[in-house]
Amino acid sequence: MKTGVILISHGSKISSGNEGLLKIADMLRAMNRWDMVEPAFLQLAKPGLDEVVEKTVANGMGRIVVAPLLLFKGNHVFKDIPEMLEKERAKYPKMEFIYTNNIGADERIALIAADRIHEKLVERQFGEKGRLEQPQLIIDESFEIIDKLVNLANIPELQRPVIQRAIHATGDTEYAYNLLFSSNAVEAGVKAIKDGKNIITDVNMVKAGISKKPVENFGGKLVCKIDDNLVADEAKRSGKTRAMIAMQFSLDEMQGGVVVIGNAPTALFELIDLIKKDKAKPALVIGIPVGFVGAVEAKAALKQISIPYITNDNRKGGSAVAVAIINAVIELAKKAR
């Protein structure tokens, strides 16, 4: 069934006051999750809800989701929009209309507000050049800011530094809420590193960012075979990606170790397949590839295996956050010596 989404907001006589809704509609369209996404205004601006419903019906949608982009509940949310929807239901009795909650008092809104406040405070402090020339002060202040922006008090102790480093590496506070840990995942990674096991990566960019010396001090090594000639030859012969073949060629090195995938969903799919076939037995999988194709699906598949994992459940990820996560685990291993 085709789904059309209508975003409805108050509306303004000033055109610039309506641009925000149009931009959000563009952002949602870019996600490619619904067949149509259209903006509508309650008053003072066009198009109105009735016009957009007519357009959505004409484009063959089977259901219409109306989402009020209004911060708090008031007459518009409780009365005006529901009454408008009743009129549209009467006009289109075969159409399924779904009315969502408004934005409301959501912790993510508080994070945005905190970011806006911090941005202005930083602007006022920008002239303090001295503090920006001292690396450790920058790091310390960054982590202080993270602690103020997100509340990790209820997060298990070993997971906190992992989340903090992920946020620090990306500037994205959402990792406080969407980084997923299987039971004892961090503990498994710490033990593997302390036991001198290897760290296998999908791409050299991830390998290059990992703290090499402490891993070697424990007796392990960093392994990435994506550029090996044999891997390239087999990838060409088989029609598979080099990232997939590199996982196959790394089986001996990865047993009992940590596999870090930050770039290639195909590498994660291949690793999961090898684990299911009982060929690969890593102690921990950090599976956080980025992308619009395959990344979300690969992460969903990762959550179905019995091997400890750290991942997230959206298309975000990448080399920087993968490196941040494994380096946090390495630091925990160093402290646990």
Side-chain angles (χ1 to χ4, degrees):
M1 180 186 295
K2 288 188 174 182
T3 300
V5 174
I6 299 176
L7 308 176
I8 187 163
S9 188
H10 189 278
S12 172
K13 291 180 180 178
I14 304 171
S15 60
S16 60
N18 301 317
E19 289 175 359
L21 182 63
L22 305 182
K23 289 179 180 178
I24 291 174
D26 285 339
M27 293 174 190
L28 289 179
R29 287 190 195 104
M31 294 179 184
N32 290 319
R33 294 174 63 180
W34 305 281
D35 299 285
M36 281 184 71
V37 178
E38 296 294 327
F41 298 97
L42 282 163
Q43 55 192 34
L44 304 176
K46 294 289 185 179
L49 180 62
D50 57 341
E51 297 172 71
V52 181
V53 169
E54 182 179 2
K55 177 181 177 180
T56 307
V57 172
N59 277 275
M61 299 300 111
R63 64 184 170 193
I64 296 174
V65 180
V66 177
L69 294 196
L70 298 167
L71 193 54
F72 302 118
K73 290 183 178 179
N75 279 337
H76 287 324
V77 172
F78 280 121
K79 183 175 182 291
D80 299 337
I81 299 175
E83 288 179 356
M84 292 177 180
L85 282 177
E86 283 306 309
K87 292 179 181 178
E88 298 307 313
R89 286 191 177 100
K91 285 194 278 186
Y92 307 101
K94 294 183 179 180
M95 176 63 66
E96 179 186 4
F97 286 89
I98 300 170
Y99 183 42
T100 75
N101 292 329
N102 64 304
I103 294 172
D106 190 295
E107 192 165 7
R108 288 166 291 184
I109 299 299
L111 286 175
I112 293 171
D115 283 342
R116 296 292 181 265
I117 294 165
H118 177 65
E119 286 164 7
K120 282 299 174 184
L121 291 175
V122 168
E123 283 180 16
R124 293 177 67 88
Q125 296 174 345
F126 193 73
E128 298 177 25
K129 184 179 178 182
R131 81 189 230 289
L132 298 178
E133 293 177 343
Q134 301 178 57
Q136 193 56 50
L137 283 180
I138 294 171
I139 293 171
D140 292 343
E141 185 173 346
S142 295
F143 279 92
E144 287 176 11
I145 292 167
I146 291 168
D147 288 340
K148 291 174 182 176
L149 289 176
V150 296
N151 182 7
L152 302 179
N154 295 324
I155 300 295
E157 185 177 357
L158 288 182
Q159 293 179 14
R160 289 177 207 162
V162 178
I163 294 170
Q164 287 172 326
R165 278 183 172 260
I167 295 171
H168 182 247
T170 62
D172 188 348
T173 51
E174 285 189 16
Y175 281 106
Y177 307 99
N178 62 32
L179 206 57
L180 306 175
F181 300 79
S182 67
S183 179
N184 297 318
V186 179
E187 292 87 343
V190 168
K191 184 178 186 304
I193 291 166
K194 287 177 62 182
D195 288 346
K197 303 300 182 180
N198 301 321
I199 297 175
I200 314 300
T201 70
D202 60 333
V203 293
N204 282 313
M205 187 178 295
V206 174
K207 179 185 175 185
I210 297 174
S211 299
K212 181 180 179 181
K213 188 173 181 180
V215 175
E216 292 179 340
N217 287 343
F218 280 116
K221 60 182 179 180
L222 306 182
V223 178
C224 180
K225 296 193 175 183
I226 196 165
D227 285 338
D228 286 12
N229 290 333
L230 291 176
V231 168
D233 291 343
E234 178 60 20
K236 186 175 181 179
R237 186 198 67 77
S238 66
K240 292 185 175 182
T241 68
R242 285 189 298 150
M244 297 173 74
I245 302 302
M247 288 294 111
Q248 296 177 12
F249 276 54
S250 303
L251 284 173
D252 290 341
E253 292 92 342
M254 78 168 59
Q255 305 307 326
V258 180
V259 182
V260 185
I261 296 175
N263 184 272
T266 56
L268 185 53
F269 275 125
E270 184 66 21
L271 175 63
I272 292 166
D273 188 52
L274 292 169
I275 290 170
K276 287 180 176 178
K277 291 177 179 177
D278 211 29
K279 293 181 178 180
K281 296 181 180 179
L284 172 67
V285 178
I286 298 172
I288 197 153
V290 62
F292 291 92
V293 179
V296 173
E297 293 83 353
K299 294 167 186 176
L302 177 61
K303 290 186 287 184
Q304 303 304 312
I305 66 171
S306 58
I307 299 290
Y309 63 79
I310 301 174
T311 187
N312 65 348
D313 57 2
N314 56 43
R315 66 175 184 269
K316 292 183 179 181
S319 298
V321 68
V323 168
I325 291 169
I326 185 59
N327 280 342
V329 175
I330 292 169
E331 282 298 311
L332 288 168
K334 287 166 60 179
K335 292 177 181 178
R337 293 188 82 161

